[in-house]
Every structure is written in C-alpha cells, then in structure tokens.
Amino acid sequence: MNTLAIAILAAVPVIAIVGSIVFMVYKHSKGMSTKRAFKMQIATFGAIVVMATIFAFTASAANDDTAAANDAAPSTSVSEQQQADTASADSGLASGLKYLSAALSIGLAGIGGGLALAAGAPAAIAAMSENPKTFGKSIVLLALGEAVALYGLVIAFMILLGIGG
C-alpha cells in the first residue's frame, strides 16, 4: 500500500472526529444541554472507532485477496499449497491487527488528550482571569495535554509505515 493511501486512511477518522466535535459545539451553542451533548459525543466516538476498525479489516482483506490471486501459481504438492494458504492467512491477520493498533493509538490518545484539556482548560482560564501573568504557564500545561494526542498520531504513522520493527 502506498504512502498516499495510508495518509488517506489515517485522515478519514481524524476528519470524522473533528467534524463531530464541531457539530456538537454548534448544537450546544443552540441550546442542547451539556450532559446530552457529552453523551452524543461519546456515542459518535464509539461509532467512529467501530467504522475505522471495520474499514481497516476490510482494506486488509481486500489487499490479501488481491495478493493471493496474483501470487497463485501451480504448486507441485498439496502441502506447499497449504503452507502458502496459511502464510496468506497469517499475513492478513497481521495486516488487520496493524490497522487496528494504529486506529486504537490515534483514538485512545485523542480521548486522553481531550480529557486532559477538559480538566486543564477551565483551570487555566480561571487562573488567567485572576492573574494575567500566568498565561505562559497555562499554555504550557495545555500543550502538554495536547501532546498526548500528537504522540498517538506519530505512533500510528510509525505502525502503518512499519518503522521501528
């Protein structure tokens, strides 16, 4: 799979999550209660994780079927054919687990970063309203919370590109 296809596969869940967040902020500004908006956001995140998992396994299965069809050559014995089928099945599982682990690293890191920002942002705003000199310290603390999500994205790209192992 080429780098552009991997980038597109990684961008689709990110775009879906950003779109759902923007939609929930809009609905909240139009009068939806915070509790209901939070519940809808959690349900949306769950749906995105499920869809990303399904897409990853489907793409992996399609790749393996194409590769198996291209590599099909007459073998000399039945045992060689069985070994080839087993290797193809193992490759499909490994590829699917690779996509699943990349999706989980992005998703869980994003949720962790969101929880960190949800706890830190109100405290930072309150501290800045009392003393404007705390702006620099507040931004550093918020950046640390956001860095968790960026680390998850970097790890997902490393998994998808096969870097480090």
Side-chain angles (χ1 to χ4, degrees):
M1 187 177 284
N2 62 17
T3 308
L4 179 63
I6 291 172
I8 291 171
L9 283 174
V12 168
V14 172
I15 291 170
I17 288 172
V18 169
S20 71
I21 291 171
V22 169
F23 180 70
M24 286 301 139
V25 168
Y26 171 75
K27 293 297 278 184
H28 186 272
S29 69
K30 292 295 182 183
M32 180 184 283
S33 71
T34 305
K35 190 173 185 177
R36 184 163 183 235
F38 181 73
K39 286 180 181 178
M40 287 182 68
Q41 191 63 42
I42 293 298
T44 304
F45 282 153
I48 290 170
V49 167
V50 168
M51 287 190 322
T53 304
I54 290 171
F55 290 157
F57 281 114
T58 304
S60 172
N63 264 352
D64 292 338
D65 290 344
T66 305
N70 291 339
D71 292 341
S75 61
T76 58
S77 69
V78 175
S79 65
E80 289 178 7
Q81 183 64 31
Q82 288 174 348
Q83 288 174 352
D85 290 344
T86 304
S88 174
D90 289 344
S91 173
L93 178 62
S95 181
L97 289 176
K98 177 175 75 169
Y99 291 126
L100 179 63
S101 63
L104 284 175
S105 70
I106 290 176
L108 293 176
I111 290 171
L115 291 174
L117 289 177
I125 292 170
M128 285 190 303
S129 67
E130 291 179 13
N131 185 3
K133 293 179 182 179
T134 62
F135 177 76
K137 293 177 186 175
S138 301
I139 292 299
V140 168
L141 292 175
L142 293 177
L144 288 174
E146 186 62 33
V148 172
L150 293 175
Y151 292 144
L153 184 65
V154 168
I155 294 299
F157 278 122
M158 288 177 68
I159 291 169
L160 291 174
L161 296 175
I163 299 172

